[in-house]
Amino acid sequence: GTALQTQNSTATANITASKASGAGTLAGTLTRAAIAGAATFSDLQVNTSGGDHTITFTSGSLTATTGTYNVIANVPSQIVVTTHASGAVAGKAFTTQPVVEIRSQANTKVTAGTGATLVVTADVNAGGTKVGTYSATAIGGVATFSGIGLGGTVGTAYTITYSTTYNTSTFTVANTDIQLTAGDPHHLDFKTAPDGYVNRAAFSTQPEVNILDAYNNVVTDSTLAVTASVHT
Protein backbone atom coordinates (compact mmCIF):
# COMPACT_ATOMS: atom_id res chain seq x y z
CA GLY A 1 0.00 0.00 0.00
CA THR A 2 3.03 2.34 0.28
CA ALA A 3 3.29 4.79 -2.64
CA LEU A 4 6.32 4.26 -4.90
CA GLN A 5 7.50 6.88 -7.37
CA THR A 6 9.81 6.98 -10.38
CA GLN A 7 10.49 10.40 -11.81
CA ASN A 8 11.71 12.20 -14.92
CA SER A 9 10.45 15.76 -15.31
CA THR A 10 9.12 15.25 -18.85
CA ALA A 11 8.24 11.53 -19.08
CA THR A 12 4.62 10.46 -19.60
CA ALA A 13 5.13 6.79 -20.46
CA ASN A 14 3.51 3.81 -18.75
CA ILE A 15 5.63 2.14 -16.09
CA THR A 16 4.98 -1.47 -15.12
CA ALA A 17 5.92 -3.24 -11.90
CA SER A 18 6.74 -6.96 -11.80
CA LYS A 19 8.16 -9.35 -9.27
CA ALA A 20 11.77 -10.36 -9.93
CA SER A 21 12.49 -12.55 -6.91
CA GLY A 22 10.84 -14.00 -3.82
CA ALA A 23 7.86 -16.27 -3.38
CA GLY A 24 4.26 -15.22 -3.86
CA THR A 25 2.62 -12.90 -6.35
CA LEU A 26 2.53 -9.16 -6.89
CA ALA A 27 -0.96 -7.70 -6.76
CA GLY A 28 -2.57 -4.32 -7.19
CA THR A 29 -2.41 -1.89 -10.12
CA LEU A 30 0.82 -2.99 -11.81
CA THR A 31 0.94 -0.32 -14.53
CA ARG A 32 0.76 3.41 -13.94
CA ALA A 33 1.07 6.29 -16.42
CA ALA A 34 3.64 8.93 -15.58
CA ILE A 35 2.28 12.42 -15.01
CA ALA A 36 4.81 15.25 -15.28
CA GLY A 37 7.56 12.66 -15.04
CA ALA A 38 6.28 10.76 -11.99
CA ALA A 39 4.48 7.41 -11.86
CA THR A 40 2.94 6.74 -8.46
CA PHE A 41 2.02 3.21 -7.37
CA SER A 42 -0.42 3.28 -4.47
CA ASP A 43 -1.80 -0.24 -3.98
CA LEU A 44 0.99 -2.72 -4.70
CA GLN A 45 1.09 -5.71 -2.39
CA VAL A 46 2.86 -9.04 -2.22
CA ASN A 47 0.72 -12.08 -1.40
CA THR A 48 3.21 -14.30 0.35
CA SER A 49 4.39 -15.69 3.64
CA GLY A 50 6.97 -12.91 3.98
CA GLY A 51 10.66 -12.23 3.38
CA ASP A 52 12.71 -10.19 0.92
CA HIS A 53 11.22 -9.54 -2.52
CA THR A 54 12.64 -7.70 -5.50
CA ILE A 55 10.30 -5.64 -7.67
CA THR A 56 11.35 -4.44 -11.12
CA PHE A 57 9.92 -1.32 -12.79
CA THR A 58 10.06 -1.16 -16.58
CA SER A 59 8.96 1.21 -19.34
CA GLY A 60 9.55 0.22 -22.96
CA SER A 61 13.23 0.38 -23.90
CA LEU A 62 14.21 2.46 -20.88
CA THR A 63 16.67 0.99 -18.43
CA ALA A 64 14.70 -0.78 -15.70
CA THR A 65 15.08 -0.08 -12.01
CA THR A 66 14.62 -2.49 -9.15
CA GLY A 67 13.94 -2.32 -5.44
CA THR A 68 14.17 -4.94 -2.72
CA TYR A 69 11.51 -4.84 -0.01
CA ASN A 70 11.04 -6.89 3.13
CA VAL A 71 7.46 -8.12 3.38
CA ILE A 72 6.30 -8.67 6.95
CA ALA A 73 4.09 -11.74 7.04
CA ASN A 74 1.23 -12.55 9.39
CA VAL A 75 0.03 -9.00 9.97
CA PRO A 76 -3.66 -9.07 10.99
CA SER A 77 -6.00 -6.93 8.93
CA GLN A 78 -9.40 -8.62 9.50
CA ILE A 79 -11.26 -11.26 11.46
CA VAL A 80 -13.70 -13.78 10.00
CA VAL A 81 -16.36 -15.97 11.66
CA THR A 82 -15.61 -19.47 10.36
CA THR A 83 -18.14 -21.24 12.62
CA HIS A 84 -21.32 -19.38 13.50
CA ALA A 85 -23.02 -19.82 16.86
CA SER A 86 -26.07 -22.06 16.65
CA GLY A 87 -28.34 -24.04 18.93
CA ALA A 88 -29.38 -20.96 20.90
CA VAL A 89 -31.49 -21.83 23.96
CA ALA A 90 -32.23 -18.91 26.27
CA GLY A 91 -29.87 -18.92 29.24
CA LYS A 92 -27.74 -21.83 28.01
CA ALA A 93 -24.50 -22.22 26.09
CA PHE A 94 -24.79 -22.52 22.31
CA THR A 95 -24.69 -26.13 21.18
CA THR A 96 -22.28 -25.00 18.46
CA GLN A 97 -19.72 -22.53 19.79
CA PRO A 98 -18.44 -19.74 17.51
CA VAL A 99 -14.96 -19.80 15.98
CA VAL A 100 -13.24 -16.63 14.74
CA GLU A 101 -10.15 -16.57 12.51
CA ILE A 102 -7.54 -13.80 12.39
CA ARG A 103 -6.53 -13.12 8.79
CA SER A 104 -4.09 -10.99 6.84
CA GLN A 105 -4.87 -8.56 4.04
CA ALA A 106 -4.32 -11.46 1.63
CA ASN A 107 -7.14 -13.33 3.45
CA THR A 108 -4.77 -15.96 4.81
CA LYS A 109 -4.83 -17.11 8.42
CA VAL A 110 -2.26 -15.46 10.68
CA THR A 111 -0.50 -18.47 12.17
CA ALA A 112 2.59 -16.98 13.82
CA GLY A 113 3.75 -13.94 15.75
CA THR A 114 1.80 -11.81 18.20
CA GLY A 115 -1.02 -11.47 15.69
CA ALA A 116 -1.75 -15.18 15.99
CA THR A 117 -2.47 -14.99 19.74
CA LEU A 118 -4.76 -11.97 19.96
CA VAL A 119 -7.68 -11.89 22.39
CA VAL A 120 -11.02 -11.77 20.58
CA THR A 121 -13.91 -10.30 22.60
CA ALA A 122 -17.62 -10.38 21.85
CA ASP A 123 -20.71 -8.34 22.66
CA VAL A 124 -24.42 -8.79 22.06
CA ASN A 125 -26.86 -6.12 20.89
CA ALA A 126 -29.39 -4.42 23.15
CA GLY A 127 -31.88 -6.71 24.85
CA GLY A 128 -29.59 -9.72 24.88
CA THR A 129 -27.96 -11.05 28.04
CA LYS A 130 -24.50 -12.61 27.91
CA VAL A 131 -24.05 -16.14 29.20
CA GLY A 132 -20.47 -17.23 29.89
CA THR A 133 -17.16 -15.49 29.22
CA TYR A 134 -17.37 -13.49 26.01
CA SER A 135 -13.67 -13.63 25.13
CA ALA A 136 -11.26 -16.16 23.68
CA THR A 137 -7.49 -16.10 23.10
CA ALA A 138 -6.49 -17.17 19.62
CA ILE A 139 -4.12 -20.09 19.12
CA GLY A 140 -2.42 -20.14 15.74
CA GLY A 141 -4.80 -17.46 14.53
CA VAL A 142 -7.97 -19.29 15.61
CA ALA A 143 -10.12 -18.07 18.53
CA THR A 144 -12.54 -20.78 19.69
CA PHE A 145 -15.16 -19.69 22.19
CA SER A 146 -16.29 -22.03 24.94
CA GLY A 147 -19.46 -22.11 27.01
CA ILE A 148 -21.00 -18.87 25.75
CA GLY A 149 -24.67 -18.34 25.04
CA LEU A 150 -27.29 -15.66 25.54
CA GLY A 151 -30.59 -14.92 27.11
CA GLY A 152 -33.38 -12.82 25.70
CA THR A 153 -36.73 -12.87 23.97
CA VAL A 154 -37.85 -15.62 21.63
CA GLY A 155 -38.61 -14.16 18.19
CA THR A 156 -35.95 -11.44 18.40
CA ALA A 157 -32.95 -11.64 16.06
CA TYR A 158 -29.78 -11.05 18.05
CA THR A 159 -26.33 -10.11 16.77
CA ILE A 160 -23.02 -10.97 18.40
CA THR A 161 -20.16 -8.69 17.35
CA TYR A 162 -16.58 -9.95 17.70
CA SER A 163 -13.59 -7.62 17.84
CA THR A 164 -9.85 -7.63 18.37
CA THR A 165 -7.13 -5.00 18.35
CA TYR A 166 -3.69 -5.27 16.79
CA ASN A 167 -1.37 -2.35 17.49
CA THR A 168 -3.72 0.61 16.97
CA SER A 169 -6.14 -1.09 14.58
CA THR A 170 -9.43 -2.66 15.71
CA PHE A 171 -11.14 -5.30 13.56
CA THR A 172 -14.77 -6.38 13.97
CA VAL A 173 -17.13 -8.93 12.45
CA ALA A 174 -20.77 -9.75 13.19
CA ASN A 175 -22.59 -13.05 13.75
CA THR A 176 -26.15 -11.98 12.84
CA ASP A 177 -29.70 -13.31 13.10
CA ILE A 178 -29.29 -15.54 16.16
CA GLN A 179 -32.75 -16.81 17.11
CA LEU A 180 -33.49 -18.13 20.60
CA THR A 181 -35.74 -20.93 21.72
CA ALA A 182 -37.21 -20.91 25.22
CA GLY A 183 -35.06 -22.10 28.10
CA ASP A 184 -35.87 -24.31 31.07
CA PRO A 185 -39.07 -23.73 33.10
CA HIS A 186 -38.42 -21.10 35.73
CA HIS A 187 -41.67 -19.59 36.99
CA LEU A 188 -45.43 -19.31 36.43
CA ASP A 189 -47.59 -16.38 35.51
CA PHE A 190 -51.21 -15.87 34.52
CA LYS A 191 -52.06 -15.75 30.87
CA THR A 192 -55.64 -15.14 32.01
CA ALA A 193 -56.40 -14.38 35.66
CA PRO A 194 -59.52 -15.91 37.25
CA ASP A 195 -62.58 -13.69 37.60
CA GLY A 196 -66.28 -13.89 38.46
CA TYR A 197 -66.15 -15.14 42.04
CA VAL A 198 -69.47 -16.58 43.24
CA ASN A 199 -69.60 -18.74 46.37
CA ARG A 200 -69.74 -22.44 45.48
CA ALA A 201 -69.85 -21.70 41.73
CA ALA A 202 -67.20 -22.02 39.07
CA PHE A 203 -65.36 -18.83 38.20
CA SER A 204 -67.00 -17.18 35.23
CA THR A 205 -63.50 -16.62 33.83
CA GLN A 206 -61.27 -19.63 34.37
CA PRO A 207 -57.53 -19.10 34.86
CA GLU A 208 -54.87 -19.90 32.29
CA VAL A 209 -51.32 -20.20 33.60
CA ASN A 210 -48.15 -19.97 31.51
CA ILE A 211 -44.95 -21.83 32.30
CA LEU A 212 -42.14 -19.35 31.64
CA ASP A 213 -38.35 -19.47 31.47
CA ALA A 214 -36.10 -16.99 33.28
CA TYR A 215 -36.56 -14.47 30.43
CA ASN A 216 -40.40 -14.67 30.44
CA ASN A 217 -40.61 -16.79 27.32
CA VAL A 218 -43.40 -19.38 27.26
CA VAL A 219 -41.91 -22.87 27.45
CA THR A 220 -44.18 -24.33 24.79
CA ASP A 221 -42.86 -27.88 25.07
CA SER A 222 -43.30 -28.12 28.85
CA THR A 223 -45.69 -30.81 30.14
CA LEU A 224 -45.37 -29.91 33.81
CA ALA A 225 -48.55 -30.20 35.88
CA VAL A 226 -49.80 -26.97 37.44
CA THR A 227 -51.73 -27.31 40.70
CA ALA A 228 -54.15 -24.76 42.13
CA SER A 229 -54.61 -24.34 45.88
CA VAL A 230 -56.40 -21.92 48.19
CA HIS A 231 -54.56 -19.92 50.82
CA THR A 232 -56.44 -18.18 53.61
Side-chain angles (χ1 to χ4, degrees), residues 129-180:
T129 301
K130 297 177 186 177
V131 173
T133 302
Y134 264 49
S135 67
T137 300
I139 299 174
V142 179
T144 302
F145 286 79
S146 176
I148 72 166
L150 63 87
T153 304
V154 171
T156 298
Y158 291 99
T159 296
I160 295 178
T161 302
Y162 306 92
S163 64
T164 193
T165 299
Y166 179 75
N167 292 336
T168 58
S169 298
T170 298
F171 312 112
T172 62
V173 66
N175 190 161
T176 61
D177 197 28
I178 299 173
Q179 300 278 348
L180 288 169

Coordinates of all heavy atoms in Angstrom, one line a residue, residues 129-180:
T129 N -28.7 -10.9 26.8 CA -28.0 -11.1 28.0 C -26.9 -12.1 27.8 O -27.1 -13.2 27.3 CB -28.9 -11.6 29.2 OG1 -29.9 -10.6 29.4 CG2 -28.1 -11.7 30.5
K130 N -25.6 -11.7 28.1 CA -24.5 -12.6 27.9 C -24.5 -13.8 28.9 O -24.8 -13.6 30.1 CB -23.2 -11.9 28.1 CG -22.9 -10.8 27.1 CD -21.6 -10.1 27.4 CE -21.4 -8.8 26.6 NZ -20.1 -8.1 27.0
V131 N -24.2 -14.9 28.4 CA -24.0 -16.1 29.2 C -22.6 -16.6 29.0 O -22.2 -16.9 27.8 CB -25.1 -17.2 28.8 CG1 -24.7 -18.5 29.6 CG2 -26.5 -16.8 29.1
G132 N -21.8 -16.8 30.0 CA -20.5 -17.2 29.9 C -19.5 -16.1 29.7 O -19.8 -14.9 29.7
T133 N -18.2 -16.5 29.4 CA -17.2 -15.5 29.2 C -17.0 -15.2 27.7 O -16.6 -16.0 26.9 CB -15.8 -16.1 29.8 OG1 -16.0 -16.4 31.1 CG2 -14.7 -15.0 29.6
Y134 N -17.3 -13.9 27.4 CA -17.4 -13.5 26.0 C -16.0 -13.1 25.5 O -15.8 -12.0 25.0 CB -18.4 -12.4 25.8 CG -19.8 -12.9 25.4 CD1 -20.4 -13.9 26.0 CD2 -20.4 -12.3 24.3 CE1 -21.6 -14.4 25.6 CE2 -21.7 -12.7 23.9 CZ -22.3 -13.8 24.6 OH -23.5 -14.2 24.1
S135 N -15.0 -13.9 25.7 CA -13.7 -13.6 25.1 C -13.0 -15.0 24.9 O -13.3 -15.9 25.6 CB -12.8 -12.7 26.0 OG -12.5 -13.4 27.2
A136 N -12.0 -15.0 24.0 CA -11.3 -16.2 23.7 C -9.9 -15.7 23.1 O -9.8 -14.8 22.3 CB -12.0 -17.0 22.7
T137 N -8.8 -16.4 23.6 CA -7.5 -16.1 23.1 C -7.2 -17.0 21.9 O -7.3 -18.2 22.0 CB -6.5 -16.3 24.2 OG1 -6.8 -15.5 25.3 CG2 -5.1 -16.0 23.7
A138 N -6.8 -16.4 20.8 CA -6.5 -17.2 19.6 C -5.2 -18.0 19.8 O -4.3 -17.7 20.5 CB -6.3 -16.2 18.4
I139 N -5.3 -19.2 19.2 CA -4.1 -20.1 19.1 C -3.9 -20.4 17.6 O -4.8 -20.9 16.9 CB -4.4 -21.4 19.9 CG1 -4.6 -21.2 21.4 CG2 -3.2 -22.4 19.7 CD1 -5.1 -22.4 22.1
G140 N -2.7 -20.0 17.2 CA -2.4 -20.1 15.7 C -3.4 -19.4 14.8 O -3.7 -19.8 13.7
G141 N -3.9 -18.3 15.3 CA -4.8 -17.5 14.5 C -6.3 -17.9 14.6 O -7.1 -17.3 13.9
V142 N -6.6 -18.8 15.5 CA -8.0 -19.3 15.6 C -8.5 -19.1 17.0 O -7.9 -19.6 18.0 CB -8.1 -20.8 15.2 CG1 -9.5 -21.2 15.4 CG2 -7.6 -21.0 13.8
A143 N -9.5 -18.3 17.2 CA -10.1 -18.1 18.5 C -11.4 -18.9 18.6 O -12.4 -18.6 17.9 CB -10.4 -16.6 18.7
T144 N -11.4 -19.9 19.5 CA -12.5 -20.8 19.7 C -13.2 -20.5 21.0 O -12.6 -20.6 22.1 CB -12.1 -22.3 19.7 OG1 -11.5 -22.5 18.4 CG2 -13.3 -23.2 19.8
F145 N -14.4 -20.0 21.0 CA -15.2 -19.7 22.2 C -15.7 -21.0 22.9 O -15.9 -22.0 22.2 CB -16.3 -18.7 21.9 CG -15.8 -17.3 21.6 CD1 -15.3 -17.0 20.3 CD2 -15.9 -16.3 22.5 CE1 -14.9 -15.7 20.0 CE2 -15.5 -15.0 22.3 CZ -14.9 -14.7 21.0
S146 N -15.9 -20.9 24.2 CA -16.3 -22.0 24.9 C -17.3 -21.6 26.0 O -17.1 -20.7 26.8 CB -15.1 -22.7 25.6 OG -15.5 -23.8 26.4
G147 N -18.5 -22.3 26.0 CA -19.5 -22.1 27.0 C -20.2 -20.8 27.0 O -20.9 -20.4 27.9
I148 N -20.2 -20.1 25.8 CA -21.0 -18.9 25.7 C -22.4 -19.1 25.2 O -22.6 -20.1 24.4 CB -20.3 -17.8 25.0 CG1 -20.3 -18.0 23.5 CG2 -18.9 -17.5 25.5 CD1 -19.9 -16.8 22.6
G149 N -23.3 -18.3 25.5 CA -24.7 -18.3 25.0 C -25.3 -17.0 25.3 O -24.6 -16.0 25.6
L150 N -26.6 -16.9 25.2 CA -27.3 -15.7 25.5 C -28.7 -15.9 26.0 O -29.3 -17.0 25.7 CB -27.2 -14.7 24.4 CG -27.9 -15.0 23.0 CD1 -29.4 -14.6 23.0 CD2 -27.2 -14.3 21.9
G151 N -29.2 -14.9 26.7 CA -30.6 -14.9 27.1 C -31.3 -13.8 26.5 O -30.7 -12.8 26.1
G152 N -32.6 -13.9 26.3 CA -33.4 -12.8 25.7 C -34.8 -13.3 25.3 O -35.3 -14.3 25.9
T153 N -35.3 -12.6 24.4 CA -36.7 -12.9 24.0 C -36.8 -13.7 22.7 O -36.2 -13.4 21.7 CB -37.5 -11.5 23.7 OG1 -37.3 -10.7 24.9 CG2 -38.9 -11.8 23.4
V154 N -37.6 -14.8 22.8 CA -37.8 -15.6 21.6 C -38.5 -14.8 20.5 O -39.4 -14.0 20.8 CB -38.7 -16.8 22.0 CG1 -39.2 -17.6 20.8 CG2 -38.0 -17.8 23.0
G155 N -38.1 -14.9 19.3 CA -38.6 -14.2 18.2 C -37.8 -12.9 17.9 O -38.1 -12.3 16.8
T156 N -36.8 -12.6 18.7 CA -35.9 -11.4 18.4 C -34.7 -11.9 17.8 O -34.1 -12.9 18.2 CB -35.6 -10.7 19.7 OG1 -36.8 -10.2 20.3 CG2 -34.7 -9.5 19.4
A157 N -34.2 -11.3 16.7 CA -33.0 -11.6 16.1 C -31.8 -10.9 16.7 O -31.8 -9.7 16.7 CB -33.0 -11.3 14.6
Y158 N -30.9 -11.6 17.3 CA -29.8 -11.0 18.1 C -28.5 -11.1 17.2 O -28.4 -12.0 16.3 CB -29.5 -11.8 19.4 CG -30.6 -11.5 20.4 CD1 -31.7 -12.4 20.6 CD2 -30.7 -10.3 21.1 CE1 -32.7 -12.2 21.5 CE2 -31.7 -10.0 22.0 CZ -32.7 -11.0 22.2 OH -33.7 -10.7 23.1
T159 N -27.6 -10.2 17.5 CA -26.3 -10.1 16.8 C -25.2 -10.1 17.8 O -25.2 -9.3 18.7 CB -26.2 -8.9 15.9 OG1 -27.2 -8.9 14.9 CG2 -24.8 -8.7 15.3
I160 N -24.2 -11.0 17.6 CA -23.0 -11.0 18.4 C -21.9 -10.4 17.5 O -21.7 -10.8 16.4 CB -22.6 -12.4 18.9 CG1 -23.7 -12.9 19.8 CG2 -21.3 -12.3 19.6 CD1 -23.4 -14.3 20.3
T161 N -21.2 -9.4 18.1 CA -20.2 -8.7 17.4 C -18.8 -9.0 18.0 O -18.7 -8.9 19.2 CB -20.3 -7.2 17.3 OG1 -21.6 -6.8 16.7 CG2 -19.2 -6.5 16.6
Y162 N -17.9 -9.6 17.2 CA -16.6 -9.9 17.7 C -15.6 -8.9 17.3 O -15.7 -8.3 16.2 CB -16.2 -11.3 17.1 CG -17.2 -12.4 17.3 CD1 -18.2 -12.6 16.3 CD2 -17.2 -13.2 18.4 CE1 -19.1 -13.6 16.5 CE2 -18.1 -14.2 18.6 CZ -19.1 -14.4 17.7 OH -20.0 -15.4 17.8
S163 N -14.6 -8.6 18.2 CA -13.6 -7.6 17.8 C -12.2 -8.0 18.5 O -12.2 -8.7 19.4 CB -14.0 -6.2 18.3 OG -14.1 -6.2 19.8
T164 N -11.2 -7.5 17.8 CA -9.9 -7.6 18.4 C -9.0 -6.4 17.9 O -9.4 -5.8 16.9 CB -9.2 -8.9 17.9 OG1 -8.0 -9.2 18.7 CG2 -8.8 -8.9 16.5
T165 N -8.0 -6.2 18.7 CA -7.1 -5.0 18.4 C -5.7 -5.4 18.2 O -5.2 -6.2 19.0 CB -7.2 -4.0 19.5 OG1 -8.5 -3.5 19.6 CG2 -6.3 -2.8 19.2
Y166 N -5.1 -5.0 17.1 CA -3.7 -5.3 16.8 C -3.0 -3.9 16.6 O -3.4 -3.1 15.7 CB -3.5 -6.1 15.5 CG -2.1 -6.4 15.2 CD1 -1.4 -7.4 15.9 CD2 -1.5 -5.8 14.1 CE1 -0.1 -7.7 15.6 CE2 -0.2 -6.1 13.8 CZ 0.5 -7.0 14.5 OH 1.8 -7.3 14.2
N167 N -2.0 -3.7 17.4 CA -1.4 -2.3 17.5 C -2.5 -1.3 17.7 O -3.1 -1.3 18.7 CB -0.5 -2.1 16.2 CG 0.7 -3.0 16.2 OD1 1.2 -3.5 17.2 ND2 1.2 -3.2 15.0
T168 N -2.7 -0.4 16.8 CA -3.7 0.6 17.0 C -5.0 0.4 16.1 O -5.9 1.2 16.1 CB -3.2 2.0 16.6 OG1 -2.7 2.0 15.3 CG2 -2.0 2.4 17.5
S169 N -5.0 -0.8 15.5 CA -6.1 -1.1 14.6 C -7.1 -2.1 15.3 O -6.7 -3.1 15.8 CB -5.6 -1.7 13.3 OG -4.8 -0.8 12.6
T170 N -8.4 -1.8 15.2 CA -9.4 -2.7 15.7 C -10.2 -3.3 14.6 O -10.7 -2.5 13.7 CB -10.4 -1.9 16.7 OG1 -9.6 -1.4 17.8 CG2 -11.5 -2.8 17.2
F171 N -10.4 -4.6 14.6 CA -11.1 -5.3 13.6 C -12.4 -5.9 14.2 O -12.3 -6.5 15.3 CB -10.3 -6.4 12.9 CG -8.9 -5.9 12.6 CD1 -7.8 -6.4 13.2 CD2 -8.7 -5.0 11.5 CE1 -6.5 -5.9 12.9 CE2 -7.5 -4.5 11.2 CZ -6.3 -5.0 11.9
T172 N -13.5 -5.8 13.5 CA -14.8 -6.4 14.0 C -15.4 -7.2 12.9 O -15.2 -7.0 11.7 CB -15.7 -5.3 14.4 OG1 -16.0 -4.4 13.3 CG2 -15.1 -4.4 15.5
V173 N -16.3 -8.1 13.3 CA -17.1 -8.9 12.4 C -18.4 -9.3 13.2 O -18.3 -9.5 14.4 CB -16.4 -10.2 11.9 CG1 -16.0 -11.1 13.0 CG2 -17.1 -10.9 10.8
A174 N -19.5 -9.5 12.5 CA -20.8 -9.8 13.2 C -21.3 -11.1 12.9 O -21.2 -11.6 11.7 CB -21.8 -8.7 12.8
N175 N -21.9 -11.8 13.9 CA -22.6 -13.0 13.8 C -24.1 -12.7 13.9 O -24.5 -12.5 15.0 CB -22.1 -14.0 14.8 CG -22.6 -15.4 14.7 OD1 -22.0 -16.3 15.3 ND2 -23.6 -15.7 14.0
T176 N -24.8 -12.6 12.8 CA -26.2 -12.0 12.8 C -27.3 -13.0 12.9 O -27.0 -14.2 12.7 CB -26.4 -11.1 11.6 OG1 -26.2 -11.9 10.4 CG2 -25.3 -10.0 11.5
D177 N -28.5 -12.5 13.2 CA -29.7 -13.3 13.1 C -29.7 -14.6 14.0 O -30.0 -15.7 13.5 CB -30.0 -13.7 11.6 CG -31.5 -14.1 11.5 OD1 -32.3 -13.6 12.3 OD2 -31.8 -14.9 10.6
I178 N -29.3 -14.4 15.2 CA -29.3 -15.5 16.2 C -30.7 -15.6 16.8 O -31.1 -14.6 17.5 CB -28.2 -15.4 17.2 CG1 -26.8 -15.4 16.6 CG2 -28.3 -16.5 18.3 CD1 -25.7 -15.1 17.5
Q179 N -31.4 -16.7 16.6 CA -32.8 -16.8 17.1 C -32.8 -17.8 18.3 O -32.2 -18.9 18.2 CB -33.7 -17.4 16.0 CG -33.7 -16.5 14.8 CD -34.7 -15.3 14.9 OE1 -35.5 -15.3 15.8 NE2 -34.7 -14.4 14.0
L180 N -33.4 -17.3 19.4 CA -33.5 -18.1 20.6 C -34.7 -19.0 20.6 O -35.8 -18.7 20.1 CB -33.5 -17.2 21.8 CG -32.3 -16.5 22.2 CD1 -32.6 -15.4 23.3 CD2 -31.2 -17.4 22.7

